[in-house]
Amino acid sequence: MQKNIFLPAAAFLVGAFFSVKANAVDVGQAAPQFTLPSLMQNQPVNLQSFKGKVVYLDFWASWCAPCRTSFPLLNELHGKLKSQDFEVVAINLDEDKTNAEKFLKEIPVGFTVLHNSSGEWADNYVVESMPTSFIIDKQGVVRVIHSGFTSDDITDIEQKITALLAEK
C-alpha cells in the first residue's frame, strides 16, 4: 500500500494560507492605525488624522509599473474631490527612499506620500501585489480593497469614493 506523502504537506499549506488570511484586513473592519514619516517632509503622519474623511490608502513602490499609471490619475482625482473631504495617502515600500524620491520627481503629486521601508504596514494590511489600495470611509472602516491598477480602474474607483463621500 502506497502512502500519500503530499497530503500532510497540502494540509499544512492550506492551514498556513488560512491562518495568514485570518489576520488580513478585510472589508468591514477598522483600518489598522499607523504613524509613518512623510517621504518629502520627513514629518510623522498618522492615519487617525484623516478621520472624518474618505481615504484612498495606496501601497506602492517605485519599481511598480501600474503605479506609474495610477499616480497621475489619483492626483487628478484628489484635486477634484479634496474639497469634499477626500484624501489620498500613498505608502511607499522601497527600501531605499531615494528611489521613491526619484519617482516623485518624474511624477509629482499633491497628496500625502509616506515611507515604510520595513514593509511592516504592508504586512499588517496583507498587501500581496503592487499597488494595493484600501478605500476607508469617514469612520475609519475599510470599505473597498483594490489590487493592481489600469487606467480603466479610475472610473469605478471614483464612483465608489463619491458614494462614500455622500454618506453621512
Side-chain angles (χ1 to χ4, degrees), residues 134-146:
F134 299 80
I135 302 176
I136 302 167
D137 70 15
K138 296 174 186 177
Q139 289 72 44
V141 175
V142 174
R143 297 287 291 273
V144 176
I145 300 172
H146 185 85

Side-chain angles (χ1 to χ4, degrees), residues 7-151:
L7 188 57
F12 170 76
L13 289 174
V14 168
F17 175 78
F18 284 109
S19 67
V20 168
K21 284 298 189 184
N23 296 326
V25 174
D26 287 321
V27 170
Q29 293 181 329
Q33 298 298 307
F34 57 80
T35 300
L36 290 169
S38 169
L39 188 64
M40 302 310 278
Q41 291 128 2
N42 219 12
Q43 298 173 325
V45 174
N46 63 42
L47 184 60
Q48 183 65 29
S49 67
F50 298 102
K51 190 156 185 152
K53 296 183 178 193
V54 174
V55 176
Y56 186 91
L57 180 64
D58 186 52
F59 288 89
W60 70 285
S62 64
W63 48 261
C64 163
C67 298
R68 292 190 169 277
T69 302
S70 71
F71 263 49
L73 295 172
L74 291 172
N75 195 49
E76 185 178 321
L77 184 62
H78 179 250
K80 181 178 177 180
L81 300 176
K82 183 177 181 172
S83 65
Q84 299 177 45
D85 287 332
F86 171 65
E87 291 292 336
V88 174
V89 178
I91 299 178
N92 175 264
L93 301 173
D94 286 314
E95 288 182 19
D96 181 354
K97 78 177 191 172
T98 59
N99 293 330
E101 292 165 344
K102 181 181 175 196
F103 178 101
L104 292 172
K105 283 182 182 161
E106 294 172 20
I107 305 171
V109 295
F111 52 77
T112 302
V113 182
L114 308 177
H115 188 242
N116 184 220
S117 62
S118 70
E120 168 192 4
W121 288 103
D123 291 343
N124 288 342
Y125 276 81
V126 189
V127 172
E128 296 177 340
S129 63
M130 288 289 164
T132 294
S133 302
F134 299 80
I135 302 176
I136 302 167
D137 70 15
K138 296 174 186 177
Q139 289 72 44
V141 175
V142 174
R143 297 287 291 273
V144 176
I145 300 172
H146 185 85
S147 296
F149 194 93
T150 67
S151 57

